[in-house]
Amino acid sequence: MSELDMSQYLGIFLDEAGEQLQQLDEAIVKLEQTPDDLDLLNTIFRAAHTLKGSSASMGFNRLATLTHRMESVLDLLRQGKLAVSREIIDILLAGLDRLRALKDSIAAGNGDEGEVGDIVTRLEAVLAGQAAVTSRDKAPGRETLTLDDIEQNVIRAAQVKGFQAYEIRVQLEAGCQMKSARAYLVFNNLKEAGEVIKSVPHTQDLEAEKFNDTFTLAFVSREDADTLANIVKSISEIKDVTVRPIVLEEDQEAAAAVPAPGQDNGVPAARANGKAGEQRVSQTVRVDVQRLENLMNLVGELVIDRTRLAEVGNGLKARLGNEELLETLEEVSLHIGRITSDLQEEIMKARMFPIDQVFNRFPRMVRDLARKAGKEIDFIIEGRETELDRTVIEEIGDPLIHLLRNAIDHGIEAPEARLKAGKPRHGTVRLRAFHQENQIVITVEDDGAGMDPEKIKARAVAKGLISREAAARLGPREALDLIFLPGFSTSEKVTDVSGRGVGMDIVRNHIERINGTIDIRTTPGRGTCFTIKLPLTLAINRSLLVQVGGRVYAFPLANVVEIIAITPADVQRVHRQQVVVVRGRVLPLIYLGQALGLARAVPAGENYAVVIVGLAEKQIGFIVDNLIGEQEIVIKSLGNFIGKIPGIAGATIMGDGSVALILDVRSLVDNLGVEASRELAS
Amino acid sequence: MATETAAEIQLVVFQLAGETYGVDINHVQEIIRMQSITQIPRTPAFIEGVINLRGRIIPVIDLHKRFDLPRAELTNNTRIMVVELGQVTVGMIVDSVSEVLRLPAASIEPPPPIISGIDVAYLKGVGKWNERLIILLDLDRVLRESEQRQLQQEIAAGVDTR
């Protein structure tokens, strides 16, 4: 193996290791709550086992050693020889953290650099403590037989031909002379009955007598276990032989689905059934996101060419009249159009992932935070299977972390305070995701103390964020929005948990950057709920296309409240600002060309088309030259060279191949504030 | 690649305001006809806007404006030369693209201190070929510096009250 260049597998290894670590993390946290869940233990064990195998074959020895020790502890838990305790969970989690650090180090190109000795020692202490109790099974040299893929395949092939696979563990008499000769005899005698697939230790070590008194064989045979045991026992100086059928991993899963004979109470069996169903995964292939992106671009090209094909068809028709060939051309062009849109849809779907990818790292985080803050928290996750685009998944993690932190740190009260308030000791934090029309909704809800608008106002005034008079004018809803101001924090003391300089303003920026919105509902004493609404994908957006100065711009539809038509007579002036009254509400009005810095004044006309956009409570009307209509557009970045332009979120390619700019409504509006003040200053 | 020796460089030669320029062919991705360019508000003047290059959005800069050269009329010969440098892909508007030629490295001299036309800082050197002078552009400077300049403009725009 060492001869091979393993580096080509590194990417896959890291991806998979990441997944296994994540799975372990989640499962171990869950295990703390349901220590008797054997299925869960089996899942954990398998993940650790796979990780051990892959890291060993990649030559990452520290990683392999540490996983191996963890696996041994897990094995004891699984066999019921060790009980799940908080201490053991702590050690396992600490081990996981260390594994993750090693993985990161590998990813950074430094190999598995890092100290693992201390954790290994702690794990070994657990194992040793156990060894004292069950010394019989912990005979030295006890090695579980692990089979790699090739060996498993050999066994499967043999099973098809009617052979059965056995694990044969042979223990020689203590002080046996010529151990290698005994081993040889065992091999030799067994040869009559079948074939040795693997031996632990390796045959070379057996020959060199580099083993204690035990060795284990994987053996395929048509004979039954007793016959094999008798063949081995007929050799002298053999103390003990155990022959057990080998059950391969997937067979184990199948077996788990059937209620085990020992599990006679119905409830756990039913649960086992459900679990087995969950574990069935569809066949997948890993694809680089960049590849999908390229595919998407190519499809975009197809769409454009199809339009041109149709144009050519029309042109020819005008010149040649109805020709049979032209009809065929028309048909083909239509067909290509349909295929193209199907292709586009399929590629979009290929970019969708369950949100579980983000959610699965939270249980561990919540556990750690709650312990640190001295709070007792039930963490409930719903809607893990909700799918959304990869790009959104990447962006949503940080805001959610912050909201969860807030819920734990500021939302949920300490256990004593909760009891005093007549609530259960345990607080509940609920994270939920679901689809609603063309959006995904994520809520973070706690049953904690809630927020008091008056306190928030007082805080904002104390921090000098708004004036006392301005605060007095705010309604309860608007007061809540104050927490999104930079520099606002309700926390009385900076704690290790939340005192990281990230405020709700950053959270909101993050969410708005991915075209989402965030909303708060709170009841003092009862709890708070943050609701985030996001587009399903960042790559495709429903937009309102408008024309200004002969060019096409796109408003993200999420920001558009309504479209109205007004006459110049409807435009009024308040404080040098143009406004329009819509159903009793005064809205600032600005020509889009001016907002973009392209033109100073509205072109004369009899009617203005006005797009009213909404940002939280604020609404602004943009006058445009022309409305084109609603369309799904593919968002593309302007690239590094041009960089971030205020007011512009990106670009898209229209059906005719031309480029239209997508408006970034928030920065457009923010920028207006700057320009307005400039105008006043001049 | 095999035919290329260290002593020779291959250039794409183009015309700009009556002078002959060259860039290393390795950076030139393709040369396309002039097409409709979408302007982007609040960008430096030399950034003409963006175009759609087979599904990619590519910024286009006008080398005349970049180098403060007199404005040129758009003609049938006007081309957009798409160059790639590291992560950056940019289209450059040039008056015409004439040829591709190999130049012995030995015939390239450092830029003379005084040269008509553009800032010496953007030049790699001057090559002599059949009695003609070919001005070799330092693409790295041309593209990178425009980014920096843009950054400065942005910062200035934030402070400046016009």
Side-chain angles (χ1 to χ4, degrees), chain A residues 105-170:
Chain A
S105 159
I106 294 169
N110 299 329
D112 56 343
E113 281 298 318
E115 181 54 49
V116 294
D118 52 335
I119 300 272
V120 168
T121 314
R122 280 171 72 188
L123 287 163
E124 273 168 354
V126 173
L127 291 170
Q130 187 49 37
V133 185
T134 51
S135 55
R136 198 187 69 86
D137 253 55
K138 281 294 293 175
R142 181 189 175 280
E143 275 280 354
T144 15
L145 197 61
T146 56
L147 298 167
D148 63 28
D149 286 350
I150 298 166
E151 290 151 1
Q152 291 189 9
N153 284 335
V154 172
I155 291 178
R156 266 179 217 122
Q159 280 172 341
V160 172
K161 290 185 192 144
F163 286 89
Q164 170 67 49
Y166 296 99
E167 178 189 313
I168 303 179
R169 182 170 294 160
V170 182

Side-chain angles (χ1 to χ4, degrees), chain A residues 301 595-596 636 641 657 659 678, chain B residues 37-38 41-42 52 54-55 146 157:
Chain A
E301 287 297 291
L596 286 170
K636 290 167 191 263
F641 187 75
V659 180
R678 274 185 198 165
Chain B
I37 298 175
T38 303
R42 299 196 181 89
N52 162 25
R54 289 190 307 283
S146 57

